[in-house]
Amino acid sequence: MSLRTRLTRIWEFLIEKAILLAGLACVLFVVLIFVFLLREGLRTFSHISLGDFLLGRKWYPISSPPRFGILSMICGSGMVTLGAALLGVPLGLASAIYISEVAPPRLKEVLKTGIELLAAIPSVVIGFVGITVVVPFLRVAFDLPTGQTALAGAILLSLMAMPTTVSIAEDAISSVPRRYREAALALGATHWEYIYRVALKAAAPGIVAAVMLGIGRVIGETMAVMMVTGNAALIPHSLLQPVRTMTATIAAEMGETVKGSDHYAALFAIGIVLFAITFLINFVADSFLHRSRVTLR
Amino acid sequence: MTSVTKQKIAFTILGGITVLVALPVLLIVGVIVKHGLGAISWEFLSTAPSDGMREGGIFPAIVGTCCLVVTAVVVAVPLGVFAAIFLNEYAGDNWLTRLVRLAIINLAGVPSVVYGLFGLGLFVVVLKFGASILAGGLTLALMNLPVIVTASKEALDAVPQTFREVSLSLGVSKWKTIRHLVLPNAIPGILTGIILEVSRAAGETAPILFTAAAFYLPGLPQSIFSQVMALPSHLYAISTQVPNISLETRYGTALVLLALVFIVNSFAIFLRARLRAKRRW
């Protein structure tokens, strides 16, 4: 064997190992993220129980003694997410149906590009438009002392979840096998009857996944929410009150804490909660997606 | 009511809702262009802010964002493309493959602010990079890794299996087949993914807030260990934390950021359209 061939062999061996390593690195990063959140955050639970942390109503991180209860933020995130889902899910699914089944090809391309551009707008820009347009509008429309409310956050977030929900639901509806449509139409169904009696049922797992991934995006969204929801750490009773979400708390307070302090650890603990929630949502959504692929094959 | 009338009503409602969903894109862009265009001048783009951000331009923020994006791309592209090659070309149907796939799905779902926490914990504190271009760029790279892996994997997957079979049957090694046959055919799709990463990295705020971004710096960064100003964090700062800034300056900054992201994105859309038209198989 010539030297040249041997060098090529070695080179290929190294490249293939590098490729394997790159794949393993992705797993490593997830583990690292988790480990780092735990490393910095778990300390919180040495002086406060998990129950008191999750269900405590008071968040006074720098008073003495400090209080670290995040119930108001969990409710804040929950309220904003629920509002965004109520607004966004019906609208998103309707557009997904329209784009995949009804729109003529040219219009379809235009709409898909539009949705893609919506996904491209940075969240800080959406938050900025929220401050300058949506918040003043809500204040006047509902005659409120401030327009910085859960509703403002829910409106912006429903918009931001739209690209995820629409594109995944559209995919699911488009990939319903052709023979289902042919069978339905041959039996005398109209196109609309095919859509809501056959296509939506066949695509159901994919649609569930679309909604869940949209919600996952909403829970994790930070900048836009922080800019428009007023950030009051109170348990909200209506969509028209200011709220503070878990993400906004981390982003707003991390800059001002002393590294290594109890406050710093508590913010990481909120990160653990967020990580756990989004992990669960993505895991379940993916299993729905997998199921939809298997049933539609 | 006949079923045909029902269909007409249903389709009209669906169309109306779709317009309602698409409209905000135009509104957002319209509002920002209308109010921001007046602020854009050569001076705005090429000078540093002065007088507590109220005067001057946004030049250091533009430079900072470019530095962060370049760092993120340099790190994420090789890693992401290699991971995609692993998933698409080498991995069998076993637990390891499923684990890597699950990891990528999970990376895509981690909230941006949690990446910020991770970047702070690992790069800024443990590895002692401090708040710097390197720490922020690495955080952005990790965050956008799933975008590159997914896009590259799709591009590789679209190369017909027969191409590989022909090459392998001629005695070409697996890596050479990938390097000289599969990759060249997948390049436009991979590029699309990279461009999308650039546009996302340019617009992200939460991950760089505590890993790279400075509130105000008069000069330009000296090395990858310098803290920088960045466009998105600058927009956040001037629209929430500094009082008495003219609305025009704020809209101007938003316009520059939006324009940057849209230009990069339209390039990706253009590339993809050309790719679809030119595909020969």
Side-chain angles (χ1 to χ4, degrees), chain A residues 12 16 116 190-192 279, chain B residues 7 90 106 173 251 261 272:
Chain A
E12 286 189 8
E16 292 189 345
E116 207 169 312
T190 61
H191 188 185
W192 169 240
F279 182 88
Chain B
Q7 167 160 325
Y90 284 94
N106 188 38
S173 72
Y251 273 112
V261 167
R272 198 178 38 201

Side-chain angles (χ1 to χ4, degrees), chain B residues 153-164:
Chain B
K153 188 175 174 300
E154 260 171 38
L156 292 170
D157 203 36
V159 178
Q161 200 56 38
T162 47
F163 285 28
R164 298 181 183 83

Side-chain angles (χ1 to χ4, degrees), chain A residues 42-56:
Chain A
L42 273 187
R43 266 190 301 127
T44 302
F45 303 113
S46 61
H47 57 86
I48 179 171
S49 74
L50 182 64
D52 285 345
F53 181 72
L54 292 176
L55 300 176

Side-chain angles (χ1 to χ4, degrees), chain A residues 8 11-12 15-16 18-20 22-27 29-30 32-33 36-37 39-40 90-92 94-95 97-99 102 109 111 113-118 120-126 128-129 131-133 159 162 190-193 195 220 222-223 226-227 247 250-251 254-255 259 264 267-268 271 274-275 278-279 282-283 286 290 293, chain B residues 3-4 6-7 10-11 14-15 17-18 20-22 24-25 28-29 31-32 79 82-83 85-86 90 96 99-107 109-115 117-118 120-122 124-126 142 145 149 173-176 196 199 203-206 209-210 232 235-236 239-240 247 250-251 254 257-258 261-262 265 269 272 276:
Chain A
T8 321
W11 171 241
E12 286 189 8
I15 284 274
E16 292 189 345
I19 287 170
L20 176 64
L24 292 179
C26 296
V27 181
F29 292 140
V30 178
L32 266 184
I33 291 177
F36 263 86
L37 291 177
R39 196 184 94 113
E40 304 284 348
L91 297 184
S95 331
I97 296 173
Y98 187 79
I99 293 174
V102 188
E109 282 310 307
L111 287 171
T113 311
I115 301 255
E116 207 169 312
L117 284 181
L118 181 60
I121 301 177
S123 71
V124 67
V125 171
I126 293 193
F128 173 69
V129 173
I131 294 185
T132 52
V133 180
L159 201 61
M162 211 57 87
T190 61
H191 188 185
W192 169 240
E193 281 162 347
I195 292 173
T222 314
M223 297 313 292
M226 175 156 74
M227 291 164 86
T247 49
I250 299 175
M254 188 48 97
K259 292 195 177 72
Y264 176 86
L267 293 178
F268 270 89
L274 272 174
F275 184 88
T278 47
F279 182 88
N282 280 289
F283 185 75
D286 187 62
H290 191 71
R293 260 178 236 128
Chain B
S3 43
V4 178
K6 268 192 205 156
Q7 167 160 325
F11 284 1
L14 289 178
I17 291 177
T18 310
L20 196 69
V21 169
V25 188
I28 291 171
V29 176
V31 166
I32 290 178
L79 201 59
F82 268 33
I85 294 178
F86 169 75
Y90 284 94
L96 180 65
L99 193 65
V100 175
R101 244 176 43 83
L102 185 66
I104 288 163
I105 291 161
N106 188 38
L107 277 178
V110 172
S112 56
V113 71
V114 173
Y115 276 103
L117 285 180
F118 171 65
L120 176 69
L122 177 61
V124 178
V125 177
V126 171
L142 269 192
L145 196 59
V149 176
S173 72
K174 184 152 189 176
W175 166 247
K176 279 201 177 130
L196 287 179
S199 97
E204 274 301 337
T205 319
L209 270 184
F210 10 94
L235 176 62
Y236 170 65
S239 55
T240 58
L247 216 51
R250 294 178 187 173
Y251 273 112
L257 178 58
L258 197 62
V261 167
F262 272 13
N265 253 278
I269 292 171
R272 198 178 38 201
R276 270 196 207 137

